[in-house]
Amino acid sequence: MAHTTLLLFAVLGCLSVGLGSKQRGDFSVTDMDMDTAKDGDIKALEARLNATEKELEKVKSDVQLLEKENQDIMAKLNDTVEELEKIKKQNGSTTTGGPKVAFSASLAASGEIYLKQSDASPNLVYKRIFTNTGDAYDSKTGTFTAPVKGIYFFSFSTFGYNDFLSGAILTKNGHYMVSSYDPPSTGDRGDTGGNSAILQLEKGERVSMRLWETSQVFDNLNGHTTFSGFLLFPL
Ligand SMILES: *[C@@H]1O[C@H](CO)[C@@H](O)[C@H](O)[C@H]1NC(C)=O
Ligand SMILES: *[C@@H]1O[C@H](CO)[C@@H](O)[C@H](O)[C@H]1NC(C)=O
Ligand SMILES: *[C@@H]1O[C@H](CO)[C@@H](O)[C@H](O)[C@H]1NC(C)=O
């Protein structure tokens, strides 16, 4: 009985020693695995970080590309808006393009007038308006003001009575352009003259009529003394 017990103890001891050494071996393997696993995790994290960085770079360059595209689109939009503004300005235009601009007037709106040059108002002021489409002719000052840059046509006629010099001058911004001139003469009691010009005007440039220093012009409702003009085409 004692032998059996001893044997049992011996067997148990061996078993426990065996178990113990085996367990110790297992532990050291697990440590190494853990180190390797840690290295693996860091590598994986680094790879993910690298991938994220790469992704970020791509997103950045995509954003730059989009910004560039956006700028291009904005520039095109600006061009289109400009073009549309131009079209709007020209809207309601004649077949030659540009706004509708035409006026025609004669000197006397009523009764009879016989005009000499006056320093107070050097312009001939044509009061009887036949047409003033676009309102570029001002019947208070006698001045035509170009609403757009373009080529304009003007014509005028002058009529004088008696022995006076008859005639007038078409001016652009106050500078003499073309004129009519019929010198004083006895015997011929009626002097008719006229002229025309095609002028390039910048927007805002002015055209008006003036008398020669000593000339006189007459008008009544027969419309002897007139001034007309229109926009041929814009530039
Ligand atoms: C991460 O990028 C660095 C530098 O670009 C490189 O040296 C490293 O090897 C990369 N790591 C991995 C796991 O790809
Ligand atoms: C478009 O026009 C606006 C205002 O007119 C201006 O501020 C902007 O810089 C323009 N953009 C481009 C891309 O030309
Ligand atoms: C041009 O004018 C017409 C009528 O006058 C108007 O209906 C149209 O919208 C205008 N177009 C532009 C582009 O302004």
Side-chain angles (χ1 to χ4, degrees), residues 16-44:
S16 76
V17 165
L19 269 173
S21 69
K22 195 157 187 263
Q23 275 170 349
R24 201 162 289 156
D26 280 353
F27 275 128
S28 67
V29 166
T30 306
D31 285 347
M32 268 169 55
D33 282 353
M34 275 177 72
D35 285 347
T36 321
K38 269 185 200 159
D39 281 353
D41 281 354
I42 289 167
K43 273 262 177 293

Short mmCIF file of all heavy atoms in Angstrom, two decimals, residues 16-44:
data_model
loop_
_atom_site.label_atom_id
_atom_site.label_comp_id
_atom_site.label_asym_id
_atom_site.label_seq_id
_atom_site.Cartn_x
_atom_site.Cartn_y
_atom_site.Cartn_z
N SER A 16 4.15 16.62 -13.01
CA SER A 16 4.12 18.06 -12.74
C SER A 16 5.37 18.75 -13.27
O SER A 16 5.32 19.83 -13.81
CB SER A 16 3.92 18.33 -11.24
OG SER A 16 5.13 18.11 -10.55
N VAL A 17 6.55 18.03 -13.11
CA VAL A 17 7.79 18.62 -13.65
C VAL A 17 7.67 18.76 -15.17
O VAL A 17 7.97 19.78 -15.76
CB VAL A 17 9.00 17.74 -13.26
CG1 VAL A 17 10.21 18.11 -14.12
CG2 VAL A 17 9.34 17.92 -11.79
N GLY A 18 7.20 17.65 -15.76
CA GLY A 18 7.00 17.67 -17.23
C GLY A 18 6.08 18.80 -17.65
O GLY A 18 6.39 19.56 -18.55
N LEU A 19 5.02 18.91 -16.95
CA LEU A 19 4.04 19.95 -17.28
C LEU A 19 4.66 21.34 -17.16
O LEU A 19 4.51 22.19 -18.03
CB LEU A 19 2.83 19.85 -16.34
CG LEU A 19 1.67 18.96 -16.83
CD1 LEU A 19 0.64 18.81 -15.72
CD2 LEU A 19 1.05 19.50 -18.10
N GLY A 20 5.41 21.44 -15.98
CA GLY A 20 6.02 22.75 -15.72
C GLY A 20 6.96 23.17 -16.82
O GLY A 20 6.86 24.27 -17.32
N SER A 21 7.86 22.29 -17.24
CA SER A 21 8.84 22.69 -18.25
C SER A 21 8.14 23.00 -19.58
O SER A 21 8.50 23.90 -20.29
CB SER A 21 9.89 21.59 -18.42
OG SER A 21 9.30 20.47 -19.01
N LYS A 22 7.13 22.19 -19.81
CA LYS A 22 6.40 22.42 -21.07
C LYS A 22 5.74 23.80 -21.07
O LYS A 22 5.80 24.55 -22.01
CB LYS A 22 5.35 21.31 -21.26
CG LYS A 22 4.82 21.26 -22.68
CD LYS A 22 4.24 19.90 -23.02
CE LYS A 22 3.88 19.81 -24.48
NZ LYS A 22 2.46 20.08 -24.69
N GLN A 23 5.16 24.10 -19.89
CA GLN A 23 4.49 25.39 -19.80
C GLN A 23 5.48 26.54 -19.99
O GLN A 23 5.20 27.52 -20.65
CB GLN A 23 3.80 25.53 -18.43
CG GLN A 23 2.42 24.89 -18.44
CD GLN A 23 1.85 24.81 -17.05
OE1 GLN A 23 2.55 25.04 -16.06
NE2 GLN A 23 0.59 24.42 -16.94
N ARG A 24 6.70 26.38 -19.36
CA ARG A 24 7.69 27.45 -19.49
C ARG A 24 8.04 27.66 -20.97
O ARG A 24 8.10 28.78 -21.44
CB ARG A 24 8.94 27.07 -18.69
CG ARG A 24 9.77 28.29 -18.34
CD ARG A 24 10.72 28.00 -17.21
NE ARG A 24 9.99 27.86 -15.96
CZ ARG A 24 10.45 27.17 -14.92
NH1 ARG A 24 11.60 26.53 -14.99
NH2 ARG A 24 9.78 27.08 -13.81
N GLY A 25 8.24 26.51 -21.69
CA GLY A 25 8.53 26.61 -23.13
C GLY A 25 7.42 27.35 -23.87
O GLY A 25 7.68 28.23 -24.67
N ASP A 26 6.22 27.03 -23.56
CA ASP A 26 5.07 27.70 -24.21
C ASP A 26 5.12 29.21 -24.01
O ASP A 26 4.91 29.99 -24.91
CB ASP A 26 3.75 27.16 -23.61
CG ASP A 26 3.40 25.81 -24.23
OD1 ASP A 26 4.12 25.42 -25.19
OD2 ASP A 26 2.44 25.17 -23.77
N PHE A 27 5.44 29.62 -22.78
CA PHE A 27 5.48 31.06 -22.48
C PHE A 27 6.47 31.80 -23.35
O PHE A 27 6.19 32.83 -23.91
CB PHE A 27 5.82 31.29 -20.99
CG PHE A 27 4.60 31.21 -20.12
CD1 PHE A 27 4.54 30.39 -19.01
CD2 PHE A 27 3.47 31.98 -20.45
CE1 PHE A 27 3.42 30.32 -18.21
CE2 PHE A 27 2.33 31.89 -19.65
CZ PHE A 27 2.30 31.07 -18.51
N SER A 28 7.70 31.24 -23.51
CA SER A 28 8.73 31.96 -24.29
C SER A 28 8.31 32.08 -25.75
O SER A 28 8.55 33.10 -26.39
CB SER A 28 10.10 31.29 -24.15
OG SER A 28 10.06 30.03 -24.76
N VAL A 29 7.67 31.07 -26.29
CA VAL A 29 7.17 31.13 -27.68
C VAL A 29 6.13 32.27 -27.81
O VAL A 29 6.18 33.08 -28.70
CB VAL A 29 6.55 29.78 -28.08
CG1 VAL A 29 5.73 29.93 -29.36
CG2 VAL A 29 7.66 28.76 -28.32
N THR A 30 5.26 32.35 -26.81
CA THR A 30 4.22 33.38 -26.85
C THR A 30 4.83 34.78 -26.82
O THR A 30 4.38 35.68 -27.54
CB THR A 30 3.27 33.19 -25.65
OG1 THR A 30 2.80 31.86 -25.69
CG2 THR A 30 2.09 34.14 -25.76
N ASP A 31 5.89 35.01 -26.03
CA ASP A 31 6.54 36.33 -25.99
C ASP A 31 7.04 36.74 -27.37
O ASP A 31 6.82 37.87 -27.84
CB ASP A 31 7.74 36.30 -25.02
CG ASP A 31 7.25 36.32 -23.57
OD1 ASP A 31 6.04 36.60 -23.37
OD2 ASP A 31 8.06 36.08 -22.67
N MET A 32 7.72 35.79 -28.01
CA MET A 32 8.25 36.09 -29.35
C MET A 32 7.12 36.43 -30.31
O MET A 32 7.18 37.38 -31.06
CB MET A 32 9.03 34.88 -29.88
CG MET A 32 10.49 34.94 -29.56
SD MET A 32 11.29 33.37 -29.92
CE MET A 32 10.85 33.12 -31.61
N ASP A 33 6.07 35.60 -30.24
CA ASP A 33 4.90 35.86 -31.10
C ASP A 33 4.38 37.28 -30.88
O ASP A 33 4.05 37.99 -31.82
CB ASP A 33 3.79 34.85 -30.79
CG ASP A 33 4.11 33.50 -31.43
OD1 ASP A 33 5.11 33.45 -32.20
OD2 ASP A 33 3.37 32.54 -31.17
N MET A 34 4.31 37.64 -29.58
CA MET A 34 3.77 38.97 -29.26
C MET A 34 4.64 40.07 -29.87
O MET A 34 4.13 41.05 -30.42
CB MET A 34 3.67 39.14 -27.74
CG MET A 34 2.36 38.55 -27.21
SD MET A 34 2.27 38.69 -25.45
CE MET A 34 2.02 40.44 -25.27
N ASP A 35 6.00 39.89 -29.76
CA ASP A 35 6.90 40.90 -30.35
C ASP A 35 6.66 41.01 -31.85
O ASP A 35 6.53 42.11 -32.40
CB ASP A 35 8.37 40.52 -30.08
CG ASP A 35 8.73 40.78 -28.62
OD1 ASP A 35 7.92 41.48 -27.94
OD2 ASP A 35 9.79 40.32 -28.19
N THR A 36 6.61 39.83 -32.48
CA THR A 36 6.40 39.82 -33.93
C THR A 36 5.07 40.47 -34.28
O THR A 36 4.97 41.27 -35.21
CB THR A 36 6.39 38.37 -34.46
OG1 THR A 36 7.39 37.65 -33.76
CG2 THR A 36 6.67 38.32 -35.95
N ALA A 37 4.06 40.15 -33.48
CA ALA A 37 2.73 40.71 -33.71
C ALA A 37 2.77 42.23 -33.58
O ALA A 37 2.20 42.96 -34.39
CB ALA A 37 1.73 40.13 -32.73
N LYS A 38 3.49 42.70 -32.54
CA LYS A 38 3.60 44.15 -32.34
C LYS A 38 4.24 44.81 -33.57
O LYS A 38 3.74 45.81 -34.09
CB LYS A 38 4.43 44.46 -31.09
CG LYS A 38 3.57 44.58 -29.84
CD LYS A 38 4.44 44.99 -28.66
CE LYS A 38 3.79 44.67 -27.34
NZ LYS A 38 4.79 44.59 -26.26
N ASP A 39 5.39 44.23 -34.00
CA ASP A 39 6.07 44.77 -35.19
C ASP A 39 5.12 44.80 -36.37
O ASP A 39 5.05 45.79 -37.11
CB ASP A 39 7.28 43.88 -35.55
CG ASP A 39 8.46 44.18 -34.63
OD1 ASP A 39 8.34 45.15 -33.84
OD2 ASP A 39 9.47 43.45 -34.73
N GLY A 40 4.37 43.68 -36.51
CA GLY A 40 3.42 43.57 -37.63
C GLY A 40 2.38 44.68 -37.55
O GLY A 40 2.08 45.33 -38.55
N ASP A 41 1.85 44.89 -36.33
CA ASP A 41 0.82 45.93 -36.14
C ASP A 41 1.37 47.30 -36.53
O ASP A 41 0.71 48.07 -37.23
CB ASP A 41 0.38 45.96 -34.67
CG ASP A 41 -0.59 44.84 -34.37
OD1 ASP A 41 -0.98 44.13 -35.34
OD2 ASP A 41 -0.97 44.67 -33.19
N ILE A 42 2.60 47.60 -36.07
CA ILE A 42 3.20 48.91 -36.37
C ILE A 42 3.38 49.08 -37.86
O ILE A 42 3.06 50.13 -38.44
CB ILE A 42 4.53 49.08 -35.61
CG1 ILE A 42 4.22 49.26 -34.11
CG2 ILE A 42 5.31 50.29 -36.13
CD1 ILE A 42 5.43 49.13 -33.23
N LYS A 43 3.88 47.97 -38.50
CA LYS A 43 4.08 48.02 -39.96
C LYS A 43 2.75 48.29 -40.65
O LYS A 43 2.68 49.13 -41.57
CB LYS A 43 4.64 46.67 -40.46
CG LYS A 43 6.15 46.59 -40.39
CD LYS A 43 6.74 46.91 -41.77
CE LYS A 43 8.26 46.92 -41.78
NZ LYS A 43 8.85 48.03 -41.00
N ALA A 44 1.73 47.55 -40.16
CA ALA A 44 0.41 47.72 -40.77
C ALA A 44 -0.10 49.14 -40.58
O ALA A 44 -0.62 49.76 -41.50
CB ALA A 44 -0.57 46.72 -40.17
#
